[in-house]
Amino acid sequence: MNWFKYSSPATFYPLAGKMAPWFFAAAALSAVPGLYISFFVAPTDFQQGESYRIIFIHVPAAWMSMFIYVVMAFWAGVGLAFNTRLSSMMASALAPTGALMTFIALWTGSLWGKPTWGAWWVWDARLTSELILLFLYFGFMALQAAIDDPRRADKAGAVLALLGVVNVPIIYFSVQWWNTLHQGASVSLTRSPTMAATMLAGMLIMALAFWMYSIAASLLRVRSIILERERAADWVREWREAAR
Amino acid sequence: MLEARELEATRGSATLFRGIGFALRPGALLRVTGANGSGKTSLLRVLCGLAAPSAGEVRWNGTDVRALREDYWKQLAYVGHANALKDELTAAENLEIACALAGLDAAPARVQAAIARFGLAGRERLPVKLLSQGQRRRAALARLALSEALPLWILDEPFSALDADAVERVQSAAGEHLARGGMIVLTTHQEARIEARSATDINLGDGRTEARPSH
Amino acid sequence: MLEARELEATRGSATLFRGIGFALRPGALLRVTGANGSGKTSLLRVLCGLAAPSAGEVRWNGTDVRALREDYWKQLAYVGHANALKDELTAAENLEIACALAGLDAAPARVQAAIARFGLAGRERLPVKLLSQGQRRRAALARLALSEALPLWILDEPFSALDADAVERVQSAAGEHLARGGMIVLTTHQEARIEARSATDINLGDGRTEARPSH
Amino acid sequence: MLAALRTVIRRDLLLAMRNKSDAANTLLFFVIVSSLFPLGVGPEPALLRTIAPGVVWVAALLASMLALARLFAADYADGTLEQLALAPQPLAAFVAAKILAHWLVSGLPLVLIAPLLGLQFDLSGTALLTLMASLLIGTPVLSLLGAVGAALTLGLRASGVLVPLIVLPLTVPVLVFGAGAVEAASSGLGAQAHLSLLGAFLLISAALSPWAAAVGIRIALE
Amino acid sequence: MLAALRTVIRRDLLLAMRNKSDAANTLLFFVIVSSLFPLGVGPEPALLRTIAPGVVWVAALLASMLALARLFAADYADGTLEQLALAPQPLAAFVAAKILAHWLVSGLPLVLIAPLLGLQFDLSGTALLTLMASLLIGTPVLSLLGAVGAALTLGLRASGVLVPLIVLPLTVPVLVFGAGAVEAASSGLGAQAHLSLLGAFLLISAALSPWAAAVGIRIALE
Amino acid sequence: MKPRHKKMALIAGGLAALGAAAALVLNAFQSNLVFFFSPSQVMANEAPRDRTFRIGGLVEAGSVKRRTDGLTVHFNVTDTAKTIPVVFSGILPDLFREGKGVVAQGKLGSDGVFHATQVLAKHDENYMPPEAAHAVAQAGKAQKTVIVK
Ligand code: HEM
Ligand SMILES: Nc1ncnc2c1ncn2[C@@H]1O[C@H](COP(=O)(O)OP(=O)(O)OP(=O)(O)O)[C@@H](O)[C@H]1O
Ligand SMILES: Nc1ncnc2c1ncn2[C@@H]1O[C@H](COP(=O)(O)OP(=O)(O)OP(=O)(O)O)[C@@H](O)[C@H]1O
Ligand SMILES: [Mg+2]
Ligand SMILES: [Mg+2]
């Protein structure tokens, strides 16, 4: 299979159109059992009671918020270095989903903070760096929106996205480097999880659902970006005419 | 030697020009003509290496200028639509700085001579912002009088805003440069009377392209 | 009728011109010529009432324009060195707004005609910042095609950055304006071939002033 | 004349639409600055609640000042201002129209989002309402005064920093009474006195600023 | 190459001299903003002492951000930046030189005057020294990061508000540790940790920013 | 210098800067950059005097006493090495329990009592059903490691 074939917007457009429904389906298919486990199967927590169930939204969203930023910066960097249009479009398409995930993480986190910590918000390192992540997403989107020439927008956004990557490890390790009010990691690659198996299962399945949703949403968005950017290209015109 | 091969530039969905090619040898002049908006400025920026062409390449002595970068720019004097003058400084100060940045010798006597040559004597003490439109253009072009050592000059509408006297001065400076083996690419809507051993015109017309030698 | 009496302008310690006087009647053209920096722009700004002369006065139908203010400006179309275009808007939007502000009729059809007349057809959807230098100048001048109702046009270097075709268009618009009894004051370094019943030249030379009728 | 004014307003709104980011950015700047303070000052909630009105108001002041600094700059640089000065309507009217358009685009959104920021700082319901009211009356004053500053510094290289410098001293009373209103409300005293003072400022500055700004512009154009 | 850099620095200093107001204004803005807070927040001395480091640092941040937003704007508008991009030296080196000149003109004065402001807020001797030290290390970081923002938004109409938007998130750590240093010092804890973190930021941003800004400029010029 | 050497020098310079930065960061993390201080740090005078700061640790078992007004609470915060008495009047978070983590913000009085203005619960990263927790607690009596299935 020739992968380079799909690095052209014209060929990727229909491919993305075909893949998006599958990812949406995967998201739905994992969200249903995920939510079921989260709310009906997983046991109450010994210290937090029922309120801990926010974890099933909070943690997947928080993970995705960081992951999407890294992926976005990666594609933006590829676009900057190799002048490949499609990768830059991917980066622009990921940003709103990333910002949404960040917002959800912040929002569910502070909803959760009130019953558990006794405060909606504290300025500890984890919370602050996550807030900065949201602003970085906003900065990226605002910068791209302010530039008319899409090629310039791609490149300028890429520089910003790459600079902002330093924030991601800071978010992740903040709970180790500083003593924060936010808890440390319950799930890590180096240790066995400190979480009951059903809870962990629910969380991981929900994470899968969030992941699939993010891919599907970004594919849809990249499609509309492709259409907008390439509206003058022959293939779009032909495609439009065929659709008519 | 400056060569262009199959240059193409697009803006938005429009192709400004396509298949532009030429070879410019020492002592030769290339005049880019064409209607307003035909792509002359865009072509010159591609030749400078400021913008990337959408197809084709520009070579300096056989190497792509986008790869040469600083090594190419060392040889190049570019005067664009904008004058690149600092409003707060005098013409002499502006010249000195521009030359220092381009790595040219900017001894005070030479700067004075350049200023006089472009008819700005008597305005030495004025900051550029007080000069008239045409005087500013003269100050920008005075840099050429200090750029004998740079083989390639690229000039975008050098004559705009100039009066007849100033046009004459620029033409003679250009003629001398060609005579000592320099190369010049320029655009202009006016007629330029520049002494040149060999002169080529490229007419960008309305996006359609034709290159023909005029001598 | 536009009259100037004993106008004098100084900049810093220098006197740009002194004792300039003329009377411009309907259908007449006044060409202000002179070397770069001789004071043409300064004179035009005085004639508009934007700047005050250091001596003398400008009268419109017998009254000082600095006293008339809005009543004078209502009759006046001024195109300066700067194009007065908003980069983000298209040429048509710019025109419409400029006309609405000047109290001119800016029906869409008229605006379209003005744009076509100045050779910008086909660029209607582009914001002005994407246009070339010359296309922008054309967009600024297109205002003239909608200003038939304003008796007095004051144009500072209207031909700068224009190609031959555009110069032709401006000249014909100016000729028509004069033919219907308008008045035009303009500066230019190029030769202007404008049909006029009566044309006067004022040469500001190098600060020394002479006014002589050319017909 | 009204038609011409409507044109100016429509044009400025159109320009803002073309450049959507403009309005959004003022807003975001406002939000970011209000969130910076807790970072610099430290996270004690009681302390934060005390300084909240002041911080939100200072942020509003800075945000509208920034946006204002260049109110006429673009029109000046591209020659449009010259054309406005030569138009058959009084320049002051155009200036007033420009200020109104500017406030609609960048002042009003601040007023609307302020309660959210206040919530973050844990302000009470009345305090929030008062915050909105004080901003609703106060931000137009900021726009009006800022316009004068922008006009006086037209064409100066340093205008970006000069405008705040000229205008901030004039806007101090607005800040004091604006923040004061909120404090009064949240300590249960009633903010009516503060708000009427703000209203007086609004009337005075609405009557004077457009003229002052127009004079400043004519001076810059000479 | 060094000669060319020296030329850029000399030119920018010369321009600043010709336009003395520029440097003075940043400074005055800094002073005014730090004095606004007591007005907005209220005059309680204990409260003021607590918020002093944060306020001074936020003011420094805003002041340098404002001055920076237009770091390359003039050079861009008049075509000088094009010439720099076509000069035989790497653009990043010019950018570094410009940043240095800018910091000398508008960052250093902030550092020097900060103790006076601190005195106003009744800070102790060690705290004042730490304030100066933290600003001395921190303001260059602000200049470096701000330059990237300025380069990325070159020529955009909205750049005045975009720059803070892009740059503030990156500068938040500087603010936190800068103000933190002063607080740590005045509570007798020793600011060494904070200052070394600031030093690390300085090194990293000095290594990366000029390149990023140069890339941004080339993108804008295309 | 040849261009290639120049490039090498630049890269070397950049690496050196990054290395120095890393050293500075490590140096910083060995010192006291914290959201809260432990009782041991407070006792060792590492916490600020005369101003608000946070202490964090576990609520000592059996130390919680409520005053009759129902709002004012006394308890001890311990990190097992050192203990500090805390007084707080206000609403405690639901998860405030003896033996669990807590972060309190306030000032250390001259009497050695920490006057808190805010009390936050700090929980750990363990999530398990109550029965499991019970089992763990039983096991924990025998051996100190926490095992979760
Ligand atoms: C606005 C407040 C909050 C923010 C911004 C926030 C942010 C984050 C982020 C970025 C992560 C992912 C990092 C990682 O995987 O280590 C995360 C993970 C997590 N957060 Fe939060 N959080 C907030 C509040 C809370 C609260 C109140 C709780 C619980 C009481 C909580 C519990 C968790 C848990 C259990 C994880 C998963 C840790 C892991 O296993 O890796 N968070 N949070
Ligand atoms: N996004 C775009 N879509 C379509 N056309 C564009 C776009 N951007 C620029 N253009 C066109 O590209 C051309 C740019 O031309 P350029 O500035 O090179 O012209 P020029 O030959 O130098 O003209 P002049 O003689 O007026 O200086 C213009 O015709 C302009 O209208
Ligand atoms: N402060 C000053 N002191 C001395 N001379 C000054 C001062 N300010 C401006 N000038 C001179 O005044 C003249 C202004 O001329 P103006 O702009 O009117 O010229 P112009 O005839 O329009 O020239 P151009 O053909 O170049 O457009 C210039 O010669 C300028 O050098
Ligand atoms: Mg051109
Ligand atoms: Mg002139």
Side-chain angles (χ1 to χ4, degrees):
Chain A
M1 187 169 163
N2 180 5
W3 286 101
F4 286 106
K5 185 169 154 238
Y6 290 106
S7 64
S8 121
T11 40
F12 188 74
Y13 181 83
L15 180 68
K18 267 186 234 131
M19 290 189 316
W22 292 102
F23 282 106
F24 270 124
L29 282 182
S30 42
V32 170
L35 288 172
Y36 182 74
I37 295 176
S38 310
F39 287 97
F40 300 106
V41 181
T44 345
D45 179 55
F46 74 112
Q47 41 183 354
Q48 300 188 18
E50 298 299 336
S51 67
Y52 94 97
R53 292 189 194 275
I54 300 179
I55 203 173
F56 298 113
I57 307 290
H58 174 76
V59 177
W63 283 347
M64 289 313 294
S65 70
M66 297 185 295
F67 179 63
I68 291 178
Y69 193 91
V70 175
V71 177
M72 176 184 96
F74 170 77
W75 284 126
V78 169
L80 182 67
F82 303 108
N83 212 356
T84 42
R85 281 172 302 156
L86 185 60
S87 34
S88 301
M89 293 184 202
M90 278 307 290
S92 320
L94 282 164
T97 309
L100 175 71
M101 292 298 163
T102 316
F103 181 76
I104 295 178
L106 285 166
W107 188 50
T108 53
S110 65
L111 268 186
W112 195 1
K114 189 67 189 173
T116 44
W117 303 334
W120 300 105
W121 186 263
V122 293
W123 291 101
D124 81 347
R126 166 58 66 78
L127 274 56
T128 308
S129 53
E130 180 79 359
L131 186 65
I132 289 177
L133 183 71
L134 183 69
F135 287 147
L136 283 173
Y137 275 119
F138 281 162
F140 179 84
M141 291 191 289
L143 181 62
Q144 292 212 323
I147 305 178
D148 296 319
D149 176 12
R151 269 185 309 183
R152 181 178 168 194
D154 286 342
K155 291 180 180 172
V159 174
L160 185 64
L162 288 173
L163 283 183
V165 171
V166 282
N167 188 40
V168 174
I170 293 180
I171 299 176
Y172 189 77
F173 291 111
S174 53
V175 287
Q176 293 177 30
W177 290 346
W178 292 277
N179 45 17
T180 50
L181 184 60
H182 194 281
Q183 65 159 84
S186 299
V187 182
S188 102
L189 293 178
T190 49
R191 284 183 293 107
S192 58
T194 56
M195 198 183 251
T198 23
M199 297 177 176
L200 183 64
M203 202 169 89
L204 292 180
I205 296 176
M206 284 307 290
L208 183 70
F210 271 63
W211 192 6
M212 293 300 121
Y213 165 79
S214 302
I215 295 178
S218 313
L219 284 178
L220 277 195
R221 203 169 295 113
V222 85
R223 262 169 71 91
S224 61
I225 291 177
I226 291 176
L227 258 201
E228 196 188 320
R229 298 252 184 112
E230 309 263 304
R231 59 177 170 256
D234 293 336
W235 70 267
V236 176
R237 282 209 209 103
E238 281 161 22
W239 178 83
R240 281 233 177 94
E241 246 127 66
R244 197 171 290 152
Chain B
M1 191 176 79
L2 184 73
E3 274 171 295
R5 292 209 190 161
E6 293 293 321
L7 286 184
E8 178 190 286
T10 53
R11 285 279 174 281
S13 56
T15 300
L16 289 181
F17 50 79
R18 163 177 297 154
I20 297 271
F22 61 82
L24 193 68
R25 273 163 228 288
L29 168 71
L30 176 69
R31 249 185 325 224
V32 181
T33 57
N36 287 141
S38 55
K40 302 181 293 301
T41 298
S42 312
L43 175 59
L44 260 51
R45 291 173 63 87
V46 167
L47 293 182
C48 286
L50 273 175
S54 51
E57 63 174 4
V58 181
R59 294 169 167 235
W60 177 251
N61 295 336
T63 322
D64 188 342
V65 299
R66 306 273 298 173
L68 279 179
R69 299 173 64 96
E70 277 85 8
D71 290 329
Y72 173 53
W73 294 331
K74 215 178 296 192
Q75 329 255 337
L76 170 74
Y78 171 65
V79 177
H81 273 306
N83 286 327
L85 300 172
K86 287 285 134 197
D87 272 356
E88 270 77 26
L89 305 182
T90 65
E93 285 165 339
N94 267 300
L95 261 185
E96 240 171 72
I97 287 166
C99 290
L101 293 183
L104 298 169
D105 170 19
R110 274 169 56 85
V111 170
Q112 276 317 317
I115 286 195
R117 166 138 206 202
F118 280 81
L120 286 174
R123 310 282 170 182
E124 289 93 348
R125 327 268 301 274
L126 289 185
V128 164
K129 72 172 151 199
L130 294 181
L131 296 182
S132 81
Q133 194 87 340
Q135 288 170 333
R136 272 188 251 183
R137 193 70 183 153
R138 287 170 181 230
L141 290 162
R143 197 151 58 82
L144 295 178
L146 296 166
S147 306
E148 315 98 344
L150 305 182
L152 179 62
W153 292 2
I154 298 188
L155 314 177
D156 199 354
E157 298 284 341
F159 307 128
S160 83
L162 294 186
D163 60 14
D165 166 57
V167 169
E168 190 46 56
R169 291 167 192 260
V170 177
Q171 285 174 351
S172 90
E176 283 170 27
H177 184 62
L178 293 174
R180 74 179 156 251
M183 289 165 253
I184 300 184
V185 181
L186 61 77
T187 70
T188 174
H189 293 301
Q190 281 152 279
E191 267 156 78
R193 277 185 224 88
I194 299 176
E195 300 270 325
R197 264 177 284 158
S198 129
T200 319
D201 277 13
I202 289 188
N203 189 332
L204 299 182
D206 310 310
R208 269 169 287 117
T209 309
E210 51 197 89
R212 58 186 162 77
S214 70
H215 292 258
Chain C
M1 193 176 79
L2 184 72
E3 274 172 296
R5 291 207 191 161
E6 291 293 322
L7 286 183
E8 178 190 287
T10 53
R11 284 279 175 284
S13 55
T15 302
L16 288 182
F17 50 79
R18 161 178 300 151
I20 296 273
F22 62 82
L24 195 66
R25 273 163 229 288
L29 168 70
L30 176 69
R31 249 186 324 223
V32 182
T33 57
N36 287 141
S38 56
K40 301 182 293 298
T41 298
S42 311
L43 175 59
L44 260 50
R45 291 174 63 88
V46 167
L47 294 182
C48 286
L50 273 175
S54 51
E57 62 174 6
V58 182
R59 294 168 167 237
W60 177 249
N61 296 336
T63 322
D64 188 343
V65 299
R66 307 276 297 174
L68 278 177
R69 298 174 63 99
E70 277 85 7
D71 290 328
Y72 172 53
W73 295 330
K74 216 180 293 195
Q75 328 258 336
L76 170 74
Y78 171 65
V79 177
H81 273 306
N83 286 326
L85 300 171
K86 288 282 133 198
D87 273 355
E88 270 77 25
L89 304 182
T90 65
E93 286 165 338
N94 266 300
L95 262 185
E96 242 170 71
I97 286 167
C99 290
L101 293 183
L104 299 168
D105 169 20
R110 276 169 52 84
V111 169
Q112 276 317 315
I115 286 195
R117 165 137 207 203
F118 280 81
L120 287 173
R123 311 282 170 180
E124 290 92 350
R125 329 263 307 271
L126 290 185
V128 164
K129 72 170 153 201
L130 293 181
L131 296 182
S132 79
Q133 194 87 339
Q135 287 170 333
R136 272 189 251 183
R137 194 70 184 153
R138 287 170 181 232
L141 290 163
R143 199 150 57 84
L144 295 179
L146 296 167
S147 306
E148 316 98 342
L150 305 182
L152 178 61
W153 292 2
I154 298 188
L155 314 176
D156 198 356
E157 298 283 342
F159 306 129
S160 83
L162 294 186
D163 62 13
D165 166 57
V167 169
E168 190 48 55
R169 291 167 192 261
V170 177
Q171 285 173 352
S172 89
E176 284 171 28
H177 185 62
L178 293 174
R180 73 179 157 253
M183 290 165 252
I184 299 184
V185 181
L186 61 75
T187 69
T188 174
H189 293 300
Q190 281 152 278
E191 268 155 79
R193 277 184 224 88
I194 299 176
E195 300 269 326
R197 265 177 283 156
S198 131
T200 319
D201 278 12
I202 289 189
N203 190 331
L204 298 182
D206 311 311
R208 268 168 287 119
T209 309
E210 50 198 90
R212 59 188 162 75
S214 73
H215 291 259
Chain D
M1 181 161 137
L2 280 181
L5 296 189
R6 229 177 303 125
T7 309
V8 171
I9 297 181
R10 197 161 47 79
R11 185 196 67 150
D12 282 20
L13 294 181
L14 186 66
L15 283 173
M17 291 279 292
R18 282 293 145 81
N19 223 319
K20 279 177 224 76
S21 45
D22 237 13
N25 288 332
T26 316
L27 201 60
L28 271 169
F29 181 77
F30 178 55
V31 174
I32 290 186
V33 171
S34 341
S35 328
L36 268 187
F37 270 88
L39 290 177
V41 168
E44 200 186 337
L47 178 67
L48 285 183
R49 208 168 311 131
T50 334
I51 66 171
V55 167
V56 173
W57 254 96
V58 170
L61 184 72
L62 293 175
S64 62
M65 208 72 354
L66 280 191
L68 272 164
R70 309 189 52 68
L71 179 59
F72 304 111
D75 282 351
Y76 177 72
D78 66 19
T80 309
L81 209 54
E82 232 168 49
Q83 296 292 344
L84 284 182
L86 292 180
Q89 282 82 29
L91 188 52
F94 285 131
V95 171
K98 270 191 81 74
I99 296 175
L100 177 58
H102 183 268
W103 181 78
L104 286 178
V105 170
S106 65
L108 194 55
L110 299 193
V111 179
L112 298 177
I113 202 148
L116 275 182
L117 292 182
L119 262 187
Q120 239 191 4
F121 283 96
D122 205 18
L123 290 180
S124 71
T126 18
L128 287 180
L129 270 184
T130 320
L131 182 65
M132 259 185 107
S134 68
L135 285 172
L136 189 66
I137 313 177
T139 47
V141 184
L142 300 182
S143 296
L144 287 159
L145 293 175
V148 178
L152 290 177
T153 57
L154 255 187
L156 304 183
R157 218 170 74 94
S159 67
V161 252
L162 255 181
V163 172
L165 192 67
I166 293 181
V167 174
L168 282 183
L170 293 175
T171 50
V172 163
V174 184
L175 172 66
V176 171
F177 290 104
V182 186
E183 244 147 56
S186 57
S187 59
L189 291 181
Q192 199 219 335
H194 292 86
L195 291 182
S196 2
L197 261 181
L198 281 181
F201 291 148
L202 177 56
L203 290 177
I204 296 177
S205 56
L208 297 182
S209 294
W211 299 105
V215 172
I217 290 173
R218 287 225 184 262
I219 293 172
L221 286 178
E222 274 254 321
Chain E
M1 178 162 138
L2 281 181
L5 297 189
R6 230 177 301 126
T7 309
V8 170
I9 298 181
R10 198 159 46 80
R11 183 196 71 149
D12 283 18
L13 294 181
L14 187 65
L15 283 173
M17 291 280 293
R18 286 288 148 84
N19 220 320
K20 280 179 220 74
S21 46
D22 235 15
N25 288 332
T26 316
L27 201 59
L28 271 168
F29 181 80
F30 176 55
V31 174
I32 289 187
V33 171
S34 347
S35 329
L36 268 187
F37 269 88
L39 292 175
V41 168
E44 198 188 338
L47 180 67
L48 286 183
R49 206 168 317 131
T50 335
I51 65 172
V55 166
V56 173
W57 253 96
V58 170
L61 184 69
L62 293 175
S64 62
M65 207 71 357
L66 283 190
L68 271 165
R70 307 189 52 67
L71 178 59
F72 304 111
D75 282 351
Y76 179 69
D78 66 18
T80 309
L81 209 53
E82 233 168 49
Q83 295 292 344
L84 284 182
L86 292 179
Q89 281 82 30
L91 187 54
F94 285 130
V95 170
K98 270 191 81 73
I99 297 175
L100 177 59
H102 182 268
W103 181 77
L104 287 178
V105 171
S106 67
L108 194 56
L110 299 193
V111 179
L112 298 178
I113 203 150
L116 277 182
L117 291 182
L119 265 186
Q120 240 190 2
F121 282 96
D122 204 19
L123 289 180
S124 70
T126 16
L128 286 181
L129 269 184
T130 320
L131 181 64
M132 262 185 101
S134 71
L135 284 172
L136 188 67
I137 312 178
T139 48
V141 184
L142 301 182
S143 296
L144 286 160
L145 293 175
V148 178
L152 288 178
T153 58
L154 253 187
L156 305 182
R157 221 172 73 94
S159 65
V161 250
L162 255 180
V163 172
L165 188 68
I166 293 179
V167 174
L168 282 182
L170 296 174
T171 50
V172 162
V174 183
L175 172 67
V176 170
F177 292 107
V182 185
E183 240 147 59
S186 58
S187 58
L189 290 181
Q192 197 222 336
H194 293 86
L195 292 182
S196 18
L197 263 185
L198 281 182
F201 292 149
L202 177 56
L203 288 173
I204 295 175
S205 56
L208 296 183
S209 295
W211 300 103
V215 173
I217 290 174
R218 288 220 183 266
I219 293 169
L221 287 178
E222 274 249 324
Chain F
M1 249 198 296
K2 284 201 195 112
R4 207 162 50 88
H5 292 164
K6 227 191 242 175
K7 213 172 239 171
M8 299 288 273
L10 278 176
I11 291 174
L15 287 181
L18 292 183
L24 284 172
V25 170
L26 287 179
N27 175 37
F29 284 131
Q30 281 164 4
S31 315
N32 42 14
L33 277 178
V34 288
F35 185 68
F36 55 77
F37 295 89
S38 68
S40 301
Q41 283 174 309
V42 177
M43 289 309 199
N45 278 334
E46 284 171 26
R49 268 150 285 158
D50 299 333
R51 58 180 58 226
T52 53
F53 62 94
R54 296 197 191 82
I55 57 170
L58 301 174
V59 181
E60 199 177 36
S63 71
V64 180
K65 290 180 211 89
R66 280 177 198 275
R67 281 240 193 96
T68 42
D69 63 3
L71 269 182
T72 307
V73 202
H74 292 262
F75 57 91
N76 294 343
V77 171
T78 174
D79 58 359
T80 63
K82 292 275 171 12
T83 303
I84 288 185
V86 176
V87 56
F88 171 67
S89 77
I91 302 164
L92 288 169
D94 297 344
L95 288 192
F96 180 86
R97 310 259 164 81
E98 290 189 353
K100 294 294 172 197
V102 71
V103 172
Q105 178 167 355
K107 270 187 193 158
L108 193 60
S110 48
D111 49 356
V113 175
F114 188 83
H115 296 267
T117 53
Q118 188 189 30
V119 172
L120 300 172
K122 174 166 168 58
H123 61 86
D124 53 29
E125 54 270 22
N126 296 314
Y127 289 85
M128 60 188 104
E131 315 81 68
H134 187 68
V136 169
Q138 296 298 334
K141 281 184 183 146
Q143 84 197 75
K144 260 206 149 183
T145 40
V146 172
I147 306 158
V148 178
K149 206 185 84 168

